[in-house]
Amino acid sequence: MQLYLNLAMVVCALAGMACGGLRYLGPRKPLYASMIVLGVACIALGRLYQCARLVTGLDIIDIFQLGILGTIGAFSFFFSSNYGQIDSLVDDRSTAFARYRIIASLGPIIIFVLYLLTIKEAYPSEKISYALISASIAAASYFHIKHFLIPDVDYGIVRCLRQFNVIALIYGILCMLELITIEYNMLTGEIVVGILQCIMSALLVPAMDMGVKKWTT
């Protein structure tokens, strides 16, 4: 079942990239869009690695394995795309936007709580893996929430990308729930979460693509 779910995630992530995402790879392309496409590529590569391990009879749980770098890389790209220039356009760090920063901090807090649930039955090596995954998701979730709620600026830059940020936030929570279902041997839950991950990974690039088109036209 894990093989089928990981293979489905590879296919869905690649399908999402094919829906307009490849046009953003290359010189003189919007950096924001390029980073999102590369993040989804990380999802596909990480899941592909896990498929290779499963096919060859190796485990993907109870150990530290390189497949987790796909998730870490994806959310590192999502974090980097929102951090810096994009964020500075909508938040000048004044007290007027303080409430949005406070609300956005709930994202990392929720991810930390989910992390605590994952490590209850985890081996030491898993705790390290889950900590790295949780940290990358938590950092990205702050900006996903913040850019969904914060008022927009001229040209609708943030408003156009709200749909992407919601999908990315949901995908991050699903990644944490996947770890929980695996640790507690919740097969039905793992299947449901896996199917939802497939849907979200397929929608990430199309949602970004629609937003960037509105942003640049």
Side-chain angles (χ1 to χ4, degrees):
M1 183 56 64
Q2 287 180 340
L3 174 60
Y4 295 147
L5 288 175
N6 277 275
L7 184 58
M9 291 178 208
V10 172
V11 173
C12 289
L14 292 177
M17 288 180 60
C19 294
L22 296 180
R23 72 167 61 96
Y24 296 113
L25 296 178
R28 295 186 295 276
K29 302 296 183 180
L31 180 60
Y32 182 95
S34 299
M35 297 179 82
I36 301 305
V37 173
L38 292 172
V40 177
C42 286
I43 294 174
L45 289 173
R47 296 295 178 171
L48 184 61
Y49 177 85
Q50 294 192 162
C51 287
R53 287 188 64 91
L54 291 168
V55 167
T56 55
L58 299 175
D59 290 329
I60 61 172
I61 60 175
D62 299 337
I63 59 170
F64 183 94
Q65 48 91 13
L66 294 180
I68 68 167
L69 296 180
T71 302
I72 295 170
F75 285 97
S76 295
F77 274 117
F78 298 161
F79 166 81
S80 299
S81 64
N82 279 326
Y83 178 79
Q85 186 175 8
I86 293 292
D87 188 61
S88 65
L89 291 173
V90 293
D91 185 4
D92 59 5
R93 304 299 175 183
S94 66
T95 56
F97 298 108
R99 66 179 181 273
Y100 299 106
R101 295 192 291 270
I102 294 172
I103 295 173
S105 65
L106 292 175
I109 293 172
I110 292 171
I111 298 302
F112 178 70
V113 172
L114 293 175
Y115 168 71
L116 294 179
L117 294 176
T118 66
I119 63 174
K120 185 177 180 181
E121 303 292 335
Y123 290 102
S125 58
E126 288 181 301
K127 292 179 181 180
I128 297 174
S129 299
Y130 296 166
L132 295 174
I133 293 172
S134 300
S136 62
I137 295 175
S141 70
Y142 172 84
F143 289 101
H144 293 322
I145 294 175
K146 183 180 177 182
H147 290 180
F148 174 73
L149 297 173
I150 201 165
D152 208 349
V153 293
D154 294 338
Y155 307 110
I157 292 175
V158 175
R159 174 175 48 81
C160 294
L161 298 170
R162 281 176 179 161
Q163 187 177 24
F164 161 76
N165 280 304
V166 170
I167 294 172
L169 176 64
I170 294 173
Y171 181 73
I173 293 174
L174 288 171
C175 287
M176 296 302 300
L177 293 178
E178 178 190 14
L179 301 178
I180 293 173
T181 57
I182 289 174
E183 282 303 313
Y184 291 90
N185 296 314
M186 303 164 59
L187 180 58
T188 301
E190 186 179 353
I191 293 172
V192 172
V193 169
I195 293 172
L196 293 175
Q197 283 178 303
C198 288
I199 296 172
M200 294 300 109
S201 62
L203 293 176
L204 283 166
V205 171
M208 175 276 295
D209 186 36
M210 289 188 294
V212 171
K213 284 179 179 177
K214 293 178 182 179
W215 175 15
T216 55
T217 56

